[in-house]
Structures are given as C-alpha cells and as structure tokens.
Amino acid sequence: MQPLRIALAQLAPRLGDLEANLARHGALLGEARAGGAGLVVFPELGLTGYLLQDLAAEVSMRLDDPRLASLAAETAVLSAVVSFVEESADHRLFIAAALLEDGELRHVHRKVHLPTYGLFDERRFFAPGDMLRAVPSRLGVGVGLAVCEDFWHLSTPQLLALDGAQILVNVSSSPGRDLAATNEVGLGTAASWRTLMRTYAQLTTSFVVFCNRVGVDESFSFWGGSEVIGPTGALVAGAPLFEEGLFYADVDLADVRRERITLPLLRDERPELVAREWRRLIAERAGLAADATAEAGAVDGFDVAADVQRAGGGRG
Amino acid sequence: MTDHTLAMFVLPEELAIDTGVARKVVAAFIRGQLRQAGFERAVLGLSGGIDSGLVAYLVAEAIGAERLLCVLMPYRTSSPASRADAEEVVRRLGCASELVDISPMVDGYFGADGVAGAGGPEALEAPALRRGNLMARIRMAVLYDRSVTWRGLVVGTGNKTESLIGYTTLFGDSACAFNPIGDLYKSQVRQLAVAIGVPEAIIRKAPSADLWPGQTDESEAGFSYPELDRLLFWRIDKRRSIDEVVAKGFDRAMVERVDRMVAGAEFKRQVPPIAKLGPRTAGVDYLYPRRRPGSARS
C-alpha cells in the first residue's frame, strides 16, 4: 500500500492579479497540507487567469523570480503543481506548469500545444514549449506534466508514460461550451475530457490527475470537474462542475504496478517502430522522400489525390 | 420535439439544452461580470416579453432580487397586456421597479397630433421602423441613466436568434454591459424560461416588438421561431452548407433569405472599426481583457 492524498485546487483565479492569486495559492497549500495531502495540483494559469491577451507580458515571471521561490518555500514535505506565465531569458512567453517540491522548483513544463482556433488565440500571445519530460519526484514515482491542449494530442500521455511517469498531471483552463441536453452531465466539453482522461489512464496504465479551473474570464465560464483516474481507467474521485474548492482523492500508487503486471501495454509499446514511421512521414510530408503508398496525382506528403481531381470541383 | 415542453411551445430536439447547467453557468457569469466591474447591482428594461422576463429571473437567481431594478418603459401605444405581464414578473420576484413613460420623449422628437417636434415637420410622418428605433434608443438612454442612480450594470436581454438575423436596434435594445442570454436561440430561451418559472402567460404569447398593435415577430419575419432557430443552428453552429440544409428539408428560398439577413447584420454584432493610424490601436493590436486589476469601479 502506497497511499497518497491528492488535493485538486479547483479555484477561480483573478484575471491579471498575480499578487492575489499568489496569496490564494499559498493559503490553499496550507489548507491542503493540513488536510493530509501529499500532492496539490492547481489549474493552468492559476497564478494569472487565462484570458490575458496583452496582459501576459505584464504578469510574466522569470524562473528565478523571488515570488516563485516564496511559493516553492511553502512546499516542505509536499509536492505541488502550479501554473503561470514564464518569461525566458530571450523574452519568449510560455504557459508554464511547475513541479514544486520540498521548497524547490523541480521541473518546468512549457505548454507544447497552443490552441489557436475557434475560441482560442494562444499562439498569438505565447511561444510553444519544445520538450516533454517525465521527472522523478519525492512521491517515489515519475511525474509527467502537461497543460490542457497538450492532452488533445495522443503523443503527449504516451511519451510521458514511456519516459517514466506513473502520474500524469494535466492542468487546464477549459472553457465550458455546448450545453446540448444529450451530453453526459449536460456539457459537451466535460463529456469529451472525461473520455480522453479515462482512455489515457487505461492506455498508459498510469494515474491521470486533471485539475481544471472554475470562474469566469470575459465570455468564458470554466467548468471545473477536476478528476483523478486510476490506472485501470476507473474514476477515483471527481470534483463538481463549476464549484470552487479544494477536493481530495485518495489513491494507492501500488495500483500502477498491479495494472502494469496485469496489462503490460507499456512494456509492449514499440517506440522504435513508431519513431521509424514518424521519420518516414516527416520526410514524405516535407517532400524529401517519395510516398510509396500515395495515389497517383497526390501532392508530396498527401496520400490521396486532391478533391479537385476526384470530384471535378469543390475546393480549388 | 420533447414532451415536457410541448404544452407551451415547440422545442426542436437538437436545440434542447441542459437547463440546470445553463442556469449554473449564467449565474456565475452574471456574478463574475458584476464583481470584475466593481458593481453589486443590476438594472434591465422589462418589456413584459419572454427575453427580458427570463433575464430578470436569471439575475434574481444569481445575485438576489433585492439587487435588481426592472425599469418598465412603455410608450402610449404599447400593449397594456405587456405592462401587466411585466408587473407580474416584478411582483413574483419581489424586485425593485420603476415606470418611465417614454411617450413625451418620443413625441418630443417626432411630434404628435399634427404638431411638429424636435425632429421637424417631416418626422411627423416617420414610419414605424424609425419610430421603433428611436424608442429602443430612448429606452437605452433611460437604462444608462438609471444605471447611475441605481448603481447597477445594464444587463442585455437580446437572444441569439434576433442578434443573428439583425432584428435589433444598434445602440438601442442591443446596448448593455453584458448579456447572459445572447448565445441562446429563442427556442432555448423558452426552454430555460419554463425551467426557471417565468409566468406561463409570458411563455405562451406570441413574441412581439410591440411597435404597433397586433404586431408579432413571426408574422413580420415570415417564418416561425422553431423553424428559424433550427436553420440557424445547422447553418452556423453546425457549419452545414446551403445544400446540406436544403437536403434536411429547409426551403431553399428561406435559407438564402436568412443567409442574407445574417450577413447583412454582421455590423450590428461588432465593435465599429477604427482607422489604423498609430502604433497600437484598440481592438487591433492593443488587446486587453475588459476588466483587469485597477479597472473595477472603486
């Protein structure tokens, strides 16, 4: 039995108010510690709010920012994941998630996938991260950090699990939308995320910890619904939708071993095959290699001939 | 069509929403908008129709009826039934209300009984559309004045259907600090109104701008709300092409007419463009959230 109490800090950050949010994080860390938590997870951009636009540069912090060090100082015998705008030495702005442990900043993940479509405009204001790394933690298992949209790409949970993560942490600012009555729990966004998280937990035989914010930025209402999913894909504990609070999940980390012995999916992954096929696809899409499986008439990198040839019209 | 609401109106099944989730989202939205602006109270124009009636209920649910002021602003030809319906909402909610008769202001401009007003003799013959637009803008001006005396933000009451087809008056009924129902089609407004308990008489009656006796939205537009809502939903929310919605059974002439209405009203849904001249221009490359530290009224 390796018991761990995880605290999901499903809070509503104040948009652009770094000082208020820092204070709130500090208070919740204390509360979670008193509640027996060993890991406390805060949502994406919990220290700044989400819809920053040009405010991003005004609330950014360098990794050596004393305010970040003060927050880290509150993690003695505790692990915490916090998220903020990181400014690099060359003045790029990243959406960052940091693992704070035993008073130190252990690891920083820079959001790799920045949605810039539909209601999102992240790439306009932020630079994408270039690395995905699992890191060892004081919890005795590897931890993999991801931010929101990172989990809408299959490779993210897979790479983190193969790199040694047994706990996959996704911190999010997911705006709720699609209230069609046919949706599970009445919210399309929640239904999609629940499907993803259960699938990833099962396929990576890892714990998935999802912390999503609540509250309102402009038109967006963030839906919360933070969850912890076990390595069998079953829900351990979930927070309510739209309600602010600190919610706990008790897990047994030994479940990872049990599931990986029972279902050795990770053992049977074929990274060398995946890498080889990715390299082939990359070369074909760049026009650097002939596409052996393409139809006649297909442009470099596209397996199928263009619609215009097939249908005699349409997209030109 | 769902059964539980059939009695009062037609709800196309693809438009049915989870009203419990909608109420939670809208309540948090209303509280968030007020808090971020540094306000605790809200004011809205209550016509006696379903849109403003629903918004009054939603605001009362979010912040308490004691923080809501409903302003009734009839013109002398407005339907007495509308006013009675509005008064019933106020009575049931127990919120504050005020009656402002806009007749002197409207007549002061257009003139009355053959005597020209500030708009000159020509304005005596102004058609209903011009008169209706001025009424909407006068109501807006009254609401923004009451916003000061009540110390509350003006809450918008326009729905998604009328916004998309442009059945609104620019800087009139569409003017507001925030709008909780602007992303709900009329059919969804009705569904939510039933769920939250808006008086049945208001839900049942035919929607009307009440610009002249007997006017109804549907007779003026030439199609029913359920039909129009479904078409807009498939064309806009679900990105179906004209051919695809015609294949679903919509009349091609109606589809093309509605498309033109939507395109023609684009300007009503956007902030007016500013000529780009300087290094940083509001809305172009000076982009801030509406509210940030320091922007709330202290």
Side-chain angles (χ1 to χ4, degrees):
Chain A
M1 181 79 182
Q2 297 171 254
L4 170 67
R5 176 165 284 189
I6 300 171
L8 302 163
Q10 185 168 290
L11 53 79
R14 297 278 175 118
L15 185 59
D17 197 342
L18 191 54
E19 304 306 325
N21 294 321
L22 278 162
R24 181 96 174 108
H25 276 55
L28 286 172
L29 274 178
E31 194 181 322
R33 178 199 303 283
L39 169 64
V40 192
V41 182
F42 292 88
E44 175 185 16
L45 294 178
L47 287 171
T48 62
Y50 177 74
L51 212 65
L52 294 162
Q53 300 181 292
D54 285 348
L55 275 177
E58 297 169 33
V59 297
S60 64
M61 289 189 286
R62 298 280 293 267
L63 291 182
D64 59 1
D65 192 298
R67 290 169 296 186
L68 212 48
S70 303
L71 191 60
E74 297 180 51
T75 60
V77 206
L78 196 62
S79 304
V81 178
V82 301
S83 175
F84 52 95
V85 178
E86 181 208 342
E87 181 170 342
S88 61
D90 62 354
H91 310 299
R92 284 180 291 166
L93 303 178
F94 298 95
I95 297 176
L99 177 65
L100 311 178
E101 285 190 332
D102 288 333
E104 290 176 8
L105 194 155
R106 282 282 160 78
H107 174 66
V108 173
H109 168 72
R110 295 164 166 175
K111 189 174 189 176
V112 169
H113 296 285
L114 300 174
T116 305
Y117 57 81
L119 67 170
F120 302 108
D121 204 12
E122 294 182 12
R123 189 67 178 87
R124 179 186 171 91
F125 301 100
F126 296 103
D130 288 310
M131 281 196 285
L132 270 175
R133 295 278 193 279
V135 288
S137 79
R138 59 169 279 282
L139 302 170
V141 296
V143 170
L145 301 187
V147 180
C148 205
E149 186 85 355
D150 289 340
F151 258 33
W152 283 80
H153 295 267
L154 279 171
S155 47
T156 304
Q158 188 179 42
L159 285 169
L160 291 174
L162 284 171
D163 200 23
Q166 298 188 19
I167 303 176
L168 306 180
V169 178
N170 182 289
V171 300
S172 285
S173 282
S174 170
R177 51 211 187 275
D178 184 9
L179 267 53
T182 48
N183 288 317
E184 180 195 1
V185 299
L187 188 68
T189 331
S192 304
W193 270 104
R194 287 176 177 217
T195 305
L196 292 183
M197 291 184 293
R198 283 153 183 70
T199 305
Y200 293 157
Q202 174 72 96
L203 294 183
T204 63
T205 48
S206 305
F207 280 98
V208 169
V209 178
F210 171 71
C211 185
N212 184 32
R213 64 165 286 187
V214 291
V216 180
D217 283 357
E218 307 281 297
S219 294
F220 296 173
S221 295
F222 301 89
W223 56 277
S226 302
E227 288 188 334
V228 174
I229 313 292
T232 64
L235 176 73
V236 176
L241 266 56
F242 300 107
E243 281 179 35
E244 185 164 15
L246 200 55
F247 301 95
Y248 295 98
D250 288 309
V251 303
D252 180 358
L253 292 177
D255 285 349
V256 173
R257 178 175 188 274
R258 274 188 282 279
E259 187 63 11
R260 288 185 181 185
I261 297 289
T262 309
L263 197 64
L265 301 179
L266 273 186
R267 181 197 73 185
D268 295 346
E269 288 295 345
R270 297 285 307 280
E272 83 294 347
L273 177 148
V274 173
R276 195 189 324 126
E277 295 299 333
W278 270 121
R279 276 196 297 274
R280 177 180 64 80
L281 284 172
I282 292 164
E284 289 175 4
R285 289 172 67 158
L288 300 172
D291 189 337
T293 61
E295 280 182 1
V299 177
D300 278 345
F302 293 87
D303 274 6
V304 235
D307 283 5
V308 63
Q309 289 165 333
R310 186 179 303 259
R315 284 167 282 178
Chain B
M1 311 292 157
T2 50
D3 297 325
H4 64 288
T5 45
L6 255 185
M8 275 189 259
F9 65 97
V10 176
L11 175 63
E13 63 184 340
E14 63 268 56
L15 294 179
I17 56 168
D18 187 312
T19 54
V21 173
R23 284 164 72 174
K24 266 191 185 171
V25 171
V26 167
F29 171 78
I30 291 168
R31 287 192 294 264
Q33 293 296 322
L34 290 172
R35 194 197 62 233
Q36 288 168 21
F39 282 77
E40 291 179 349
R41 310 213 275 186
V43 54
L44 60 85
L46 192 67
S47 67
I50 190 168
D51 296 323
S52 58
L54 171 61
V55 174
Y57 272 77
L58 289 168
V59 171
E61 182 166 79
I63 61 172
E66 71 282 1
R67 296 185 183 191
L68 169 65
L69 170 66
C70 288
V71 188
L72 283 60
M73 295 171 284
Y75 179 66
R76 56 186 163 78
T77 61
S78 295
S79 150
S82 297
R83 181 168 156 189
D85 287 337
E87 284 167 346
E88 178 64 9
V89 168
V90 168
R91 193 187 64 77
R92 290 206 197 178
L93 287 177
C95 61
S97 73
E98 282 187 55
L99 180 74
V100 177
D101 177 5
I102 63 167
S103 307
M105 291 189 274
V106 175
D107 293 347
Y109 180 79
F110 287 117
D113 305 322
V115 181
E122 177 273 339
L124 277 168
E125 307 303 321
L129 183 66
R130 272 178 66 192
R131 299 179 64 84
N133 280 335
L134 187 78
M135 288 179 205
R137 292 184 178 118
I138 283 175
R139 291 185 175 115
M140 176 277 294
V142 170
L143 283 177
Y144 273 86
D145 178 60
R146 287 303 194 260
S147 169
V148 177
T149 56
W150 179 253
R151 288 179 290 124
L153 286 183
V154 176
V155 188
T157 61
N159 65 61
K160 186 171 185 172
T161 310
E162 66 183 23
S163 167
L164 283 173
I165 64 171
Y167 199 59
T168 62
T169 297
L170 189 61
F171 309 122
D173 56 307
S174 64
C176 61
F178 61 89
N179 182 338
I181 65 162
D183 204 19
L184 293 176
Y185 290 109
K186 190 75 168 189
S187 304
Q188 296 168 328
V189 164
R190 288 165 165 164
Q191 191 197 355
L192 196 54
V194 170
I196 205 169
V198 172
E200 200 173 315
I202 294 176
I203 297 167
R204 283 183 184 279
K205 71 182 175 186
S208 169
D210 201 12
L211 298 181
W212 57 83
Q215 180 198 26
T216 68
D217 296 0
E218 287 165 313
S219 62
E220 213 183 341
F223 25 67
S224 76
Y225 271 117
E227 191 183 16
L228 177 58
D229 288 348
R230 281 190 67 226
L231 172 57
L232 291 168
F233 175 77
W234 286 108
R235 279 291 283 136
I236 290 167
D237 293 275
K238 294 298 180 183
R239 300 174 192 264
R240 295 298 195 275
S241 70
I242 291 180
D243 287 345
E244 284 166 334
V245 293
V246 168
K248 277 184 167 294
F250 288 98
D251 171 62
R252 185 176 290 274
M254 173 194 174
V255 173
E256 288 173 351
R257 190 175 146 225
V258 170
D259 264 31
R260 281 193 302 275
M261 293 168 90
V262 171
E266 214 61 72
F267 75 96
K268 292 190 181 183
R269 292 185 288 272
Q270 297 182 23
V271 174
I274 295 172
K276 174 73 181 161
L277 299 171
R280 276 184 99 187
T281 309
V284 179
D285 45 17
Y286 174 86
L287 299 172
Y288 279 88
R290 220 164 284 262
R291 307 289 180 187
R292 53 177 151 125
S295 67
R297 190 194 61 143
S298 53

